[in-house]
Amino acid sequence: MTADYHIHTKMCGHATGEMEEYVVRALEKGLDEIGFSDHIPMYFLPMAERDASIAMKEEELPLYVEKVRMIQKKFAPFKVKLGIEADFAPGMEQTLKNMIEPYDFDYILGSTHFIDGWGFDNPDLVHEYEHKNLDELYVKYFMLVEQTAQSGLFDIIAHPDLIKKFGFRPKKNLDALYEKTVKTIAESNVCVEVNTAGLRVPAEEIYPTFRFLELCRKYNVGVTLGSDAHCPGQVGWGFDKAVQLIKNAGYDQVVFFTEKTKKYQKI
Ligand code: ZN
Ligand code: FE
Ligand code: FE
Ligand code: ZN
């Protein structure tokens, strides 16, 4: 069974298409279920600095939930889960907690999109990589991923090695860094997302890389699937490759979520 748990909506300001169209596409592709996981309001920035082309406004969050609830009713018995992609921001845990608490999310994707305020996955800011020591940058990035797992706020680590997005990779071997991170994720009882968006960017590789996924298998970390769709045509995109990668890493199950409860399903 397969579910696409990483789907955006036009409420984030940089995705297109109606929610209905995403579900119709999922049905066409024969997915067993999907979950919407739009970008959470930018709770970690002062109001004036929040960018409406990156995430929905804070006052729109209730509307987002309401819209997903309507879609759930419309397409039942096909399952549409209520998720959200939430940034981890060190020191802001309570603010995030307060924002998500009123809603019964099925799962929360935990993302790292910023390092010391730098949106490292933003194409407009890619020049910054040239001033960075990549070894140190990767250590910093994976430290944030570990903190994301340890925070207890998230169910799934989204695009676990997003830092490779633009193809800037350290020369040294990353196995020890991966293993330390995966161990922490396993101890935190958090799942890892296998995200096909990496195939559409200069990294040209699914997130996470195969070695990382093998380690996840070794430490019994559950996996979910996600396309990171920002338009209906991307729903379930590249899942044939993702399923193959998961199987090659030794998995025969993926995780489905209902109100934060995990269920393992045969792939
Ligand atoms: Zn997005
Ligand atoms: Fe993301
Ligand atoms: Fe996303
Ligand atoms: Zn994403």
Side-chain angles (χ1 to χ4, degrees), residues 96-145:
L96 175 57
K97 220 176 198 171
N98 294 344
M99 188 174 271
I100 56 188
E101 217 166 43
Y103 309 103
D104 289 321
F105 288 108
D106 288 303
Y107 60 87
I108 297 176
L109 292 175
S111 291
T112 294
H113 298 117
F114 296 90
I115 296 174
D116 300 330
W118 167 44
F120 66 85
D121 74 326
N122 182 340
D124 298 333
L125 304 175
V126 69
H127 56 272
E128 288 288 323
Y129 280 93
E130 278 141 42
H131 313 295
K132 303 281 181 198
N133 173 324
L134 294 179
D135 292 336
E136 286 170 13
L137 185 66
Y138 270 61
V139 168
K140 237 179 193 179
Y141 171 80
F142 282 104
M143 206 191 286
L144 285 167
V145 171

Side-chain angles (χ1 to χ4, degrees), residues 53 64 78 130 137-139 154-156 177 186 195 206 216:
S53 72
Y64 165 72
F78 182 74
E130 278 141 42
L137 185 66
Y138 270 61
V139 168
F154 309 99
D155 303 291
I156 305 160
L177 185 58
N195 181 316
I206 285 171
C216 289

